[in-house]
Short mmCIF file of all heavy atoms in Angstrom, two decimals:
data_model
loop_
_atom_site.label_atom_id
_atom_site.label_comp_id
_atom_site.label_asym_id
_atom_site.label_seq_id
_atom_site.Cartn_x
_atom_site.Cartn_y
_atom_site.Cartn_z
N SER A 1 0.83 -1.17 -0.02
CA SER A 1 0.05 -0.01 -0.02
C SER A 1 0.84 1.29 -0.07
O SER A 1 0.36 2.32 -0.29
CB SER A 1 -0.97 0.04 1.27
OG SER A 1 -0.20 0.27 2.44
N ARG A 2 2.21 1.05 0.28
CA ARG A 2 3.06 2.24 0.31
C ARG A 2 3.65 2.52 -1.03
O ARG A 2 4.47 3.39 -1.21
CB ARG A 2 4.11 2.08 1.38
CG ARG A 2 3.62 2.01 2.82
CD ARG A 2 4.76 2.09 3.81
NE ARG A 2 4.14 2.10 5.16
CZ ARG A 2 3.85 3.20 5.76
NH1 ARG A 2 3.94 4.35 5.11
NH2 ARG A 2 3.24 3.24 7.01
N VAL A 3 3.35 1.72 -1.99
CA VAL A 3 3.79 2.04 -3.44
C VAL A 3 2.55 2.96 -3.87
O VAL A 3 1.55 2.49 -4.41
CB VAL A 3 3.80 0.72 -4.35
CG1 VAL A 3 4.22 1.03 -5.72
CG2 VAL A 3 4.81 -0.23 -3.68
N ARG A 4 2.86 4.22 -3.85
CA ARG A 4 1.71 5.18 -3.95
C ARG A 4 1.64 5.95 -5.20
O ARG A 4 0.66 6.73 -5.43
CB ARG A 4 1.83 6.17 -2.79
CG ARG A 4 1.67 5.40 -1.46
CD ARG A 4 1.58 6.43 -0.31
NE ARG A 4 0.43 7.31 -0.41
CZ ARG A 4 -0.74 7.15 0.24
NH1 ARG A 4 -0.82 6.20 1.08
NH2 ARG A 4 -1.71 8.00 0.13
N ALA A 5 2.61 5.96 -6.04
CA ALA A 5 2.59 6.81 -7.36
C ALA A 5 3.49 6.26 -8.36
O ALA A 5 4.48 5.53 -8.11
CB ALA A 5 2.93 8.29 -7.00
N THR A 6 3.21 6.69 -9.61
CA THR A 6 4.10 6.30 -10.75
C THR A 6 4.57 7.63 -11.43
O THR A 6 3.73 8.44 -11.69
CB THR A 6 3.35 5.41 -11.77
OG1 THR A 6 3.09 4.17 -11.02
CG2 THR A 6 4.20 5.08 -13.01
N GLY A 7 5.79 7.68 -11.88
CA GLY A 7 6.22 8.75 -12.79
C GLY A 7 6.60 8.10 -14.15
O GLY A 7 7.30 7.15 -14.25
N VAL A 8 6.12 8.82 -15.13
CA VAL A 8 6.36 8.34 -16.59
C VAL A 8 7.10 9.44 -17.29
O VAL A 8 6.55 10.59 -17.43
CB VAL A 8 5.09 8.04 -17.27
CG1 VAL A 8 5.33 7.47 -18.72
CG2 VAL A 8 4.25 6.99 -16.52
N SER A 9 8.27 9.14 -17.84
CA SER A 9 9.01 10.09 -18.64
C SER A 9 8.80 9.83 -20.07
O SER A 9 8.91 8.72 -20.51
CB SER A 9 10.51 9.98 -18.24
OG SER A 9 11.26 10.72 -19.12
N ILE A 10 8.64 10.91 -20.86
CA ILE A 10 8.29 10.80 -22.31
C ILE A 10 9.11 11.79 -23.09
O ILE A 10 9.21 12.95 -22.68
CB ILE A 10 6.81 11.12 -22.52
CG1 ILE A 10 5.91 10.04 -21.88
CG2 ILE A 10 6.43 11.31 -24.02
CD1 ILE A 10 5.95 8.73 -22.56
N PRO A 11 9.69 11.50 -24.26
CA PRO A 11 10.30 12.32 -25.07
C PRO A 11 9.28 13.18 -25.80
O PRO A 11 8.36 12.66 -26.38
CB PRO A 11 11.20 11.54 -26.09
CG PRO A 11 10.29 10.27 -26.18
CD PRO A 11 9.78 10.06 -24.75
N GLY A 12 9.43 14.49 -25.86
CA GLY A 12 8.52 15.36 -26.58
C GLY A 12 7.92 16.45 -25.71
O GLY A 12 8.52 16.80 -24.62
N TYR A 13 6.87 17.12 -26.16
CA TYR A 13 6.24 18.22 -25.54
C TYR A 13 5.22 17.59 -24.55
O TYR A 13 4.34 16.95 -25.05
CB TYR A 13 5.62 19.11 -26.56
CG TYR A 13 6.51 19.76 -27.53
CD1 TYR A 13 6.92 19.07 -28.59
CD2 TYR A 13 6.97 21.06 -27.29
CE1 TYR A 13 7.75 19.73 -29.65
CE2 TYR A 13 7.84 21.63 -28.23
CZ TYR A 13 8.17 21.00 -29.40
OH TYR A 13 9.03 21.52 -30.27
N VAL A 14 5.41 17.97 -23.29
CA VAL A 14 4.52 17.30 -22.24
C VAL A 14 3.78 18.37 -21.45
O VAL A 14 4.45 19.29 -20.95
CB VAL A 14 5.36 16.42 -21.34
CG1 VAL A 14 4.53 15.90 -20.18
CG2 VAL A 14 5.95 15.29 -22.13
N ASP A 15 2.53 18.25 -21.32
CA ASP A 15 1.72 19.14 -20.32
C ASP A 15 1.67 18.29 -19.13
O ASP A 15 0.77 17.47 -18.94
CB ASP A 15 0.39 19.37 -21.00
CG ASP A 15 -0.51 20.30 -20.00
OD1 ASP A 15 -0.13 20.41 -18.88
OD2 ASP A 15 -1.43 20.87 -20.48
N ASN A 16 2.57 18.48 -18.17
CA ASN A 16 2.62 17.63 -16.97
C ASN A 16 1.41 17.95 -16.00
O ASN A 16 1.06 17.01 -15.30
CB ASN A 16 3.94 17.82 -16.28
CG ASN A 16 4.13 19.15 -15.63
OD1 ASN A 16 3.77 20.12 -16.30
ND2 ASN A 16 4.78 19.18 -14.45
N ALA A 17 0.90 19.13 -16.14
CA ALA A 17 -0.22 19.39 -15.24
C ALA A 17 -1.46 18.51 -15.61
O ALA A 17 -2.23 18.12 -14.75
CB ALA A 17 -0.59 20.91 -15.26
N GLN A 18 -1.62 18.36 -16.96
CA GLN A 18 -2.86 17.58 -17.39
C GLN A 18 -2.41 16.09 -17.69
O GLN A 18 -3.28 15.28 -17.96
CB GLN A 18 -3.37 18.16 -18.69
CG GLN A 18 -3.79 19.67 -18.56
CD GLN A 18 -5.01 19.79 -17.58
OE1 GLN A 18 -5.85 18.94 -17.59
NE2 GLN A 18 -4.97 20.83 -16.79
N GLY A 19 -1.16 15.81 -17.70
CA GLY A 19 -0.85 14.43 -18.01
C GLY A 19 -0.90 14.06 -19.45
O GLY A 19 -1.19 12.97 -19.82
N VAL A 20 -0.74 15.06 -20.34
CA VAL A 20 -1.00 14.95 -21.79
C VAL A 20 0.21 15.06 -22.57
O VAL A 20 1.12 16.05 -22.23
CB VAL A 20 -2.00 15.94 -22.32
CG1 VAL A 20 -2.10 15.91 -23.79
CG2 VAL A 20 -3.41 15.61 -21.70
N VAL A 21 0.54 14.25 -23.54
CA VAL A 21 1.79 14.48 -24.45
C VAL A 21 1.20 15.25 -25.57
O VAL A 21 0.42 14.76 -26.43
CB VAL A 21 2.24 13.09 -24.93
CG1 VAL A 21 3.46 13.32 -25.86
CG2 VAL A 21 2.68 12.27 -23.65
N ILE A 22 1.64 16.53 -25.76
CA ILE A 22 1.25 17.35 -26.81
C ILE A 22 1.76 16.93 -28.16
O ILE A 22 1.02 16.89 -29.07
CB ILE A 22 1.63 18.87 -26.48
CG1 ILE A 22 0.92 19.23 -25.19
CG2 ILE A 22 1.15 19.79 -27.64
CD1 ILE A 22 1.41 20.67 -24.69
N ARG A 23 3.05 16.56 -28.07
CA ARG A 23 3.69 16.04 -29.35
C ARG A 23 4.85 15.22 -29.05
O ARG A 23 5.64 15.68 -28.06
CB ARG A 23 4.01 17.25 -30.27
CG ARG A 23 4.83 16.75 -31.55
CD ARG A 23 5.09 17.96 -32.34
NE ARG A 23 6.04 17.73 -33.47
CZ ARG A 23 6.40 18.58 -34.40
NH1 ARG A 23 5.83 19.76 -34.46
NH2 ARG A 23 7.26 18.18 -35.31
N SER A 24 5.08 14.16 -29.58
CA SER A 24 6.38 13.36 -29.44
C SER A 24 6.74 12.81 -30.80
O SER A 24 6.05 11.90 -31.38
CB SER A 24 6.07 12.12 -28.41
OG SER A 24 7.27 11.34 -28.38
N ASP A 25 7.68 13.35 -31.40
CA ASP A 25 8.15 12.80 -32.71
C ASP A 25 8.66 11.42 -32.62
O ASP A 25 8.44 10.68 -33.60
CB ASP A 25 9.35 13.75 -33.30
CG ASP A 25 8.79 15.22 -33.55
OD1 ASP A 25 7.52 15.32 -33.81
OD2 ASP A 25 9.69 16.10 -33.63
N GLN A 26 9.39 11.07 -31.56
CA GLN A 26 9.89 9.75 -31.44
C GLN A 26 8.85 8.69 -31.39
O GLN A 26 8.90 7.60 -31.93
CB GLN A 26 10.84 9.56 -30.25
CG GLN A 26 12.12 10.37 -30.29
CD GLN A 26 11.97 11.74 -29.81
OE1 GLN A 26 10.93 12.39 -29.86
NE2 GLN A 26 13.06 12.24 -29.20
N LEU A 27 7.71 9.03 -30.69
CA LEU A 27 6.59 8.02 -30.54
C LEU A 27 5.53 8.21 -31.51
O LEU A 27 4.63 7.41 -31.64
CB LEU A 27 6.06 8.02 -29.07
CG LEU A 27 7.09 7.75 -27.93
CD1 LEU A 27 6.42 8.00 -26.67
CD2 LEU A 27 7.52 6.29 -28.18
N GLY A 28 5.52 9.30 -32.31
CA GLY A 28 4.53 9.60 -33.28
C GLY A 28 3.23 9.91 -32.64
O GLY A 28 2.15 9.69 -33.23
N TRP A 29 3.27 10.67 -31.58
CA TRP A 29 1.92 10.99 -30.85
C TRP A 29 1.71 12.59 -30.95
O TRP A 29 2.69 13.38 -31.01
CB TRP A 29 2.13 10.74 -29.36
CG TRP A 29 2.25 9.31 -29.07
CD1 TRP A 29 2.11 8.23 -29.89
CD2 TRP A 29 2.42 8.74 -27.70
NE1 TRP A 29 2.32 7.09 -29.14
CE2 TRP A 29 2.46 7.39 -27.87
CE3 TRP A 29 2.72 9.37 -26.44
CZ2 TRP A 29 2.67 6.51 -26.72
CZ3 TRP A 29 2.92 8.50 -25.31
CH2 TRP A 29 2.87 7.14 -25.51
N VAL A 30 0.45 12.93 -31.04
CA VAL A 30 -0.04 14.23 -30.95
C VAL A 30 -1.28 14.26 -30.00
O VAL A 30 -2.18 13.56 -30.25
CB VAL A 30 -0.41 14.78 -32.36
CG1 VAL A 30 -1.04 16.26 -32.23
CG2 VAL A 30 0.84 14.75 -33.28
N ASP A 31 -1.23 15.07 -29.03
CA ASP A 31 -2.29 15.31 -28.10
C ASP A 31 -2.84 13.92 -27.54
O ASP A 31 -4.01 13.65 -27.63
CB ASP A 31 -3.52 16.09 -28.69
CG ASP A 31 -3.07 17.49 -29.00
OD1 ASP A 31 -2.32 18.09 -28.26
OD2 ASP A 31 -3.63 18.13 -30.03
N GLU A 32 -2.00 13.20 -26.84
CA GLU A 32 -2.38 11.83 -26.40
C GLU A 32 -2.38 12.01 -24.82
O GLU A 32 -1.46 12.44 -24.14
CB GLU A 32 -1.28 10.92 -26.77
CG GLU A 32 -1.29 10.45 -28.21
CD GLU A 32 -2.39 9.51 -28.52
OE1 GLU A 32 -3.24 9.13 -27.65
OE2 GLU A 32 -2.48 9.12 -29.76
N ASP A 33 -3.55 11.44 -24.32
CA ASP A 33 -3.65 11.41 -22.80
C ASP A 33 -2.85 10.20 -22.45
O ASP A 33 -3.05 9.13 -22.78
CB ASP A 33 -5.15 11.23 -22.43
CG ASP A 33 -5.30 10.89 -21.05
OD1 ASP A 33 -4.51 11.38 -20.05
OD2 ASP A 33 -6.17 10.10 -20.63
N LEU A 34 -1.90 10.52 -21.48
CA LEU A 34 -0.93 9.37 -20.97
C LEU A 34 -1.39 9.05 -19.55
O LEU A 34 -1.36 7.81 -19.16
CB LEU A 34 0.51 9.92 -21.06
CG LEU A 34 1.58 8.82 -20.76
CD1 LEU A 34 1.54 7.86 -21.96
CD2 LEU A 34 2.87 9.39 -20.59
N ARG A 35 -1.77 10.00 -18.82
CA ARG A 35 -2.13 9.75 -17.36
C ARG A 35 -3.30 8.82 -17.22
O ARG A 35 -3.17 7.79 -16.32
CB ARG A 35 -2.45 11.09 -16.62
CG ARG A 35 -2.77 10.93 -15.19
CD ARG A 35 -3.18 12.22 -14.59
NE ARG A 35 -1.95 13.13 -14.49
CZ ARG A 35 -2.16 14.39 -14.39
NH1 ARG A 35 -3.32 15.04 -14.34
NH2 ARG A 35 -1.08 15.16 -14.26
N GLY A 36 -4.29 8.95 -17.98
CA GLY A 36 -5.52 8.14 -17.84
C GLY A 36 -5.21 6.67 -18.06
O GLY A 36 -5.47 5.81 -17.20
N PRO A 37 -4.58 6.28 -19.14
CA PRO A 37 -4.36 4.83 -19.27
C PRO A 37 -3.42 4.17 -18.31
O PRO A 37 -3.58 3.10 -17.81
CB PRO A 37 -3.72 4.83 -20.72
CG PRO A 37 -4.18 5.92 -21.49
CD PRO A 37 -4.40 6.93 -20.37
N PHE A 38 -2.35 4.96 -17.87
CA PHE A 38 -1.47 4.50 -16.74
C PHE A 38 -2.27 4.33 -15.47
O PHE A 38 -1.91 3.40 -14.71
CB PHE A 38 -0.21 5.34 -16.77
CG PHE A 38 0.86 4.90 -17.60
CD1 PHE A 38 0.82 5.34 -18.99
CD2 PHE A 38 1.87 4.06 -17.20
CE1 PHE A 38 1.90 4.93 -19.86
CE2 PHE A 38 2.83 3.66 -18.05
CZ PHE A 38 2.89 4.01 -19.38
N GLU A 39 -3.01 5.33 -15.13
CA GLU A 39 -3.65 5.29 -13.82
C GLU A 39 -4.67 4.01 -13.79
O GLU A 39 -4.81 3.36 -12.73
CB GLU A 39 -4.45 6.56 -13.51
CG GLU A 39 -3.44 7.67 -13.20
CD GLU A 39 -4.20 8.95 -12.65
OE1 GLU A 39 -5.35 9.08 -12.92
OE2 GLU A 39 -3.47 9.76 -12.12
N ARG A 40 -5.26 3.78 -14.99
CA ARG A 40 -6.10 2.70 -15.02
C ARG A 40 -5.45 1.28 -14.94
O ARG A 40 -5.92 0.38 -14.32
CB ARG A 40 -7.03 2.75 -16.29
CG ARG A 40 -8.12 3.85 -16.18
CD ARG A 40 -9.00 3.71 -17.37
NE ARG A 40 -8.43 4.03 -18.74
CZ ARG A 40 -8.32 5.23 -19.18
NH1 ARG A 40 -8.81 6.31 -18.50
NH2 ARG A 40 -7.73 5.44 -20.33
N ALA A 41 -4.30 1.34 -15.65
CA ALA A 41 -3.51 0.02 -15.65
C ALA A 41 -2.78 -0.29 -14.28
O ALA A 41 -2.65 -1.38 -13.93
CB ALA A 41 -2.55 0.12 -16.77
#
């Protein structure tokens, strides 16, 4: 229960307040929600 949070590092433009990857050329992403899928998983 003391494993309380996850940090995810991404190459590209990141809105860390919203948990959104605005753009990542390496991953081919534009405006992708990252926080939601990781919190659910």
Side-chain angles (χ1 to χ4, degrees):
S1 69
R2 295 189 177 276
V3 183
R4 297 186 64 100
T6 296
V8 184
S9 166
I10 292 289
Y13 299 83
V14 174
D15 182 343
N16 66 322
Q18 300 298 321
V20 172
V21 180
I22 299 171
R23 173 178 171 175
S24 174
D25 292 338
Q26 291 92 328
L27 299 175
W29 294 355
V30 176
D31 292 331
E32 291 283 359
D33 172 34
L34 192 69
R35 178 182 294 160
F38 270 85
E39 288 188 340
R40 289 189 291 272

